[in-house]
Amino acid sequence: MTTLPATRGDRAHVALDGEQDILTAPYASALLTAATASHHRVLVDLRKVTFMDTSGLEPLIRTARRLPRTGGGVTLVITDQRLRRLLAQTGVANLFTQVSSPDEA
């Protein structure tokens, strides 16, 4: 289950969990679209994600590429080294600010 967008300070907060892949990407995309409808900065908590492939990564990339045009950006709460490696290996790590806890954002 993925948590609906909430507000955390001046940014939308979305928590993803479980497997993020081709089956869950449309839902994650809808959540991120809803979050960016009212906020230009988004905090995406990935601490409960157990698996992510490039299909699951795609909604995050699309959101990160869209937000700088409006002066915003995406911050990922990410502790899993496999997810950090996925970002690096796909060449998109620089699209995101990466923190280890929501308090660092």
Side-chain angles (χ1 to χ4, degrees), residues 81-94:
Q81 292 305 314
R82 293 173 297 164
L83 294 179
R84 288 185 188 270
R85 194 167 38 254
L86 176 65
L87 294 174
Q89 289 175 341
T90 55
V92 298
N94 64 335

Side-chain angles (χ1 to χ4, degrees), residues 51-103:
F51 171 82
M52 181 179 286
D53 63 12
T54 56
S55 297
L57 184 57
E58 193 270 334
L60 295 171
I61 294 169
R62 205 168 359 130
T63 302
R65 288 185 173 152
R66 183 176 63 243
L67 287 180
R69 289 182 259 159
T70 60
V74 176
T75 299
L76 301 178
V77 180
I78 183 170
T79 55
D80 189 318
Q81 292 305 314
R82 293 173 297 164
L83 294 179
R84 288 185 188 270
R85 194 167 38 254
L86 176 65
L87 294 174
Q89 289 175 341
T90 55
V92 298
N94 64 335
L95 293 176
F96 309 99
T97 300
Q98 298 178 43
V99 297
S100 296
S101 75
D103 296 333

Side-chain angles (χ1 to χ4, degrees), residues 5 13 16-17 24 26 31 35 38 40-41 45-46 50 53 55-56 64 67 78 94-95 99 101:
H13 180 219
L16 302 178
D17 63 16
T24 58
L31 286 175
S38 59
H40 300 294
R41 295 175 30 165
D45 192 336
L46 301 177
T50 58
D53 63 12
S55 297
L67 287 180
I78 183 170
N94 64 335
L95 293 176
V99 297
S101 75

